[in-house]
Amino acid sequence: MQNSITENDNYLPDDFQMPQMPPMESADTNETLAKITEISKRGYQLIKENDFEGAKSAFEEILEIEENNNYALVGLGDTERKQNHMDLAIKYYQKCLNYYPSNNYALFGLADCYKSQNQFSKAIDVWQQYLVHDDKNITVITRVADAYRKIHDFKKSKDLYLKVLEMELNNPYALIGLGHLNYDFKEYKDALYYWTKVYDINKDSVDIRVLTSIGNCHRKLKTFDKGVPYFEKALEREPHNFYALFGLADCYRGMNQQYKSIEYWNKILEIDPNNKVILTRAGDAFRTTGNYDKAKEYYNKALEIDFDIYAAIGLALICKGEGNIEQAAARFENLIKNDPRNGRLYIDLADCYVSLNRKNDAVKLLEEYLKSDGRNNIIRTALEKINRS
């Protein structure tokens, strides 16, 4: 289970500067320019104070002084974007660009709107226009890299992140982005390298999501014992953090310390008692420790919420563990009727048939499955094992 590290999407960066007015031809207009500048400053201050109606009024006041003023159009776009009114914001940015095609602030805002709407290809096109005028802007380059990552273009994304690191060693957004990129492509060792670098730079002040992401890399790499300390650090800061609780539970499961995993599954259930996935995981842990009564309780709670294949499998396995092989076989047969492509069910049912001295049925079952999925090596290995017995 992966959580997302916050990327460089701060609305107004600390070094933010207002859009620049084009020079006015007459000296007589200096007073008007000064007035527009002052109103625009007030509008942006109101945005920072989350007074959006006030900001909107300020920018509309500018439009009464000068129709299609770029301060006002960008300001109105920013006001709507801050409120997540992306379609309205896009209209203002596009209107500004109709009059001022090279306005970087309109381009920046427009691209971010497209990004927020998951229209990453459009966002990339607009950011590329921005970079024509300012090809050293690290914030924009990392945003383009993020967008390429979202559309699964590994090479372009990686190249841009690395370009940022050439410009600014240890840029946190590039390092975090490279972590995401490699994690998305299942390159967990490389993801671990970049996220650990962020941790080493920031230590105890690091974003909690870096801690859980490092822990998740260790889960994926099955180095569970190394993941535990990072999830524990996260829990010290946020005792109810879902990802840290889940990570610890799963690490202890992977280390076959089921009693400890149960502790953390239950902590999640204290917060979210109707989470059927966690109920099923807890049921699995109780079943593995031989506490069938508790396992049944958790599996049945999960199934009361909604059908869950893993809870149903768990109940069938309990039947098998209690020696009710016929009942277990019947459960697996019913599950296969509803999920005929699930290879795990066939293996469990075949094992039941072998226990019932129905070896021929087990062989026939697995052979039938291989007719539709001949490359399934797990089924093939199970079949070979039965034939050798």
Side-chain angles (χ1 to χ4, degrees), residues 3 6 18 80 92 127 139 174 184 188 215 291 314 320 344 376:
N3 63 307
T6 302
M18 291 184 302
E80 299 298 345
Y92 284 118
W127 276 319
T139 299
D184 291 347
Y188 300 121
N291 191 339
K320 184 180 173 185
R344 173 181 175 175
N376 191 314

Side-chain angles (χ1 to χ4, degrees), residues 166-351:
E166 289 175 3
M167 297 165 65
E168 183 183 309
L169 185 64
N170 295 331
N171 178 279
Y173 299 120
L175 292 172
I176 287 171
L178 282 163
H180 274 303
L181 179 66
N182 285 283
Y183 192 97
D184 291 347
F185 281 85
K186 304 186 187 305
E187 299 289 345
Y188 300 121
K189 288 184 180 179
D190 289 337
L192 183 61
Y193 168 80
Y194 289 111
W195 280 330
T196 300
K197 199 166 187 179
V198 177
Y199 173 76
D200 289 341
I201 294 167
N202 295 277
K203 295 297 183 183
D204 291 339
S205 64
V206 75
D207 189 301
I208 192 171
R209 287 162 290 193
V210 174
L211 295 173
T212 53
S213 292
I214 292 172
N216 283 332
C217 285
H218 283 299
R219 283 200 309 115
K220 295 295 186 181
L221 293 167
K222 301 190 184 305
T223 50
F224 300 110
D225 59 322
K226 294 181 180 178
V228 166
Y230 291 97
F231 290 124
E232 289 179 335
K233 286 178 186 291
L235 276 188
E236 288 172 9
R237 290 164 59 176
E238 286 185 19
H240 300 299
N241 184 285
F242 174 87
Y243 296 104
L245 291 170
F246 184 95
L248 276 173
D250 201 52
C251 281
Y252 284 124
R253 179 197 61 79
M255 294 159 67
N256 201 29
Q257 297 182 35
Q258 300 294 348
Y259 290 103
K260 283 190 175 181
S261 76
I262 289 169
E263 175 187 346
Y264 291 102
W265 295 133
N266 279 329
K267 284 182 182 293
I268 296 175
L269 291 170
E270 288 174 10
I271 304 165
D272 185 8
N274 293 320
N275 189 318
K276 71 183 183 74
V277 173
I278 303 303
L279 285 167
T280 300
R281 290 292 185 100
D284 289 343
F286 280 117
R287 177 175 55 80
T288 304
T289 60
N291 191 339
Y292 289 156
D293 288 340
K294 270 291 183 183
K296 289 177 187 177
E297 178 186 332
Y298 280 74
Y299 287 140
N300 284 320
K301 281 183 181 179
L303 290 169
E304 285 171 8
I305 296 166
D306 193 13
F307 178 76
D308 185 282
I309 183 67
Y310 298 105
I313 290 173
L315 287 171
L317 290 172
I318 288 175
C319 288
K320 184 180 173 185
E322 292 177 332
N324 299 321
I325 310 300
E326 290 279 5
Q327 187 179 348
R331 284 178 178 268
F332 285 123
E333 286 167 351
N334 285 330
L335 289 172
I336 285 174
K337 289 176 184 177
N338 294 310
D339 190 5
R341 301 290 297 170
N342 189 330
R344 173 181 175 175
L345 298 175
Y346 288 80
I347 291 175
D348 287 323
L349 178 55
D351 193 48

Side-chain angles (χ1 to χ4, degrees), residues 309 313 316-317 320 328-329 331-355 358-359 361-373 376 378-383 386:
I309 183 67
I313 290 173
L317 290 172
K320 184 180 173 185
R331 284 178 178 268
F332 285 123
E333 286 167 351
N334 285 330
L335 289 172
I336 285 174
K337 289 176 184 177
N338 294 310
D339 190 5
R341 301 290 297 170
N342 189 330
R344 173 181 175 175
L345 298 175
Y346 288 80
I347 291 175
D348 287 323
L349 178 55
D351 193 48
C352 288
Y353 284 158
V354 171
S355 297
R358 294 169 57 185
K359 178 178 175 179
D361 289 335
V363 170
K364 182 180 178 181
L365 177 75
L366 297 183
E367 287 178 342
E368 283 297 318
Y369 182 88
L370 286 173
K371 288 178 181 179
S372 60
D373 185 10
N376 191 314
I378 297 174
I379 296 287
R380 191 172 295 281
T381 300
L383 178 60
I386 293 171

Side-chain angles (χ1 to χ4, degrees), residues 46-47 49-57 78-79 82-83:
L46 290 168
I47 289 178
E49 295 171 2
N50 293 328
D51 183 354
F52 303 120
E53 287 302 318
K56 188 174 180 180
S57 296
D78 289 347
T79 303
K82 180 67 171 176
Q83 298 175 84

